[in-house]
Amino acid sequence: GFVIGISGGIDSALTSTLCALTQKKVIALNMPILQHKEQDDRAKEHILWLKKNHTNVSGEEIDLTDAFLKIKSHLPEKATSHLLTMANTRSRLRMVTLYAFSGGNKMLVAGTGNTVTPPLRAGLASSVSSGFSPYIVPSPPITPRLVPAISNSTIAPSLRPIQFLCIVLVFSGQS
């Protein structure tokens, strides 16, 4: 099965729906960190939709705001004032949460980005990088123009989701 973070965006909506269509167990996690209400509402609505339409999906909300603020309170001002640093800190906190659910349930983490990140430098473990961990299934590198088309079921509607993912991975050189 799969563990997947639901952000309220189209990438996580598409990837989580493809995971649900595989009939494997799916745990959909909403992990807000100081989230805008509209984005949080979209994530919650999508998880409800997944659960209503797919009996293999369960969902949870893990509010990571307190954990993020605690980490932030221990960082120097130079770090906390740097937007990219704090965005990366949020991403890593969500990643750790996904991996905790993944390991505890013996499931794979499904990636939701539309690109595969190259290995990070600066001595970070390859598991931090979305595309190079042995425990993650990266979403296929789908271009932004392709995502709405797939989401609207205008491309490959007769393919099972796992077939579609395999086809995209093969044609993108990810196999």
Side-chain angles (χ1 to χ4, degrees):
F2 304 97
V3 177
I4 186 164
I6 306 299
S7 67
I10 194 165
D11 291 337
S12 69
L14 171 63
T15 306
S16 61
T17 302
L18 290 171
C19 288
L21 289 169
T22 67
Q23 301 299 312
K24 303 288 184 191
K25 182 179 174 183
V26 176
I27 299 174
L29 298 179
N30 179 20
M31 300 171 285
I33 301 173
L34 302 171
Q35 228 57 35
H36 291 259
K37 182 178 177 356
E38 302 81 28
Q39 190 177 23
D40 189 44
D41 288 347
R42 280 194 314 268
K44 289 175 183 176
E45 288 171 19
H46 183 66
I47 290 173
L48 287 174
W49 179 87
L50 282 170
K51 289 167 50 176
K52 178 182 173 190
N53 291 284
H54 302 281
T55 58
N56 56 317
V57 175
S58 63
E60 280 194 53
E61 178 169 320
I62 313 294
D63 192 332
L64 298 173
T65 298
D66 289 342
F68 173 76
L69 292 174
K70 185 70 171 177
I71 292 168
K72 185 177 176 184
S73 73
H74 291 280
L75 297 175
E77 193 277 328
K78 275 187 172 181
T80 61
S81 64
H82 191 258
L83 294 178
L84 183 59
T85 298
M86 298 318 297
N88 192 39
T89 303
R90 289 178 191 202
S91 295
R92 297 308 134 225
L93 186 54
R94 289 184 177 115
M95 181 200 71
V96 167
T97 304
L98 288 167
Y99 276 92
F101 272 81
S102 168
N105 290 284
K106 295 185 174 30
M107 299 168 81
L108 298 171
V109 174
T112 59
N114 59 17
T115 60
V116 177
T117 308
L120 296 175
R121 296 190 180 125
L124 295 176
S126 64
S127 63
V128 172
S129 165
S130 65
F132 293 89
S133 169
Y135 301 106
I136 197 164
V137 177
S139 64
I142 299 169
T143 64
R145 278 190 358 198
L146 198 52
V147 171
I150 297 168
S151 298
N152 293 327
S153 300
T154 59
I155 294 178
S158 64
L159 290 179
R160 291 192 343 233
I162 199 69
Q163 291 171 318
F164 177 76
L165 285 171
C166 290
I167 290 169
V168 172
L169 290 172
V170 167
F171 281 105
S172 67
Q174 298 290 319
S175 59

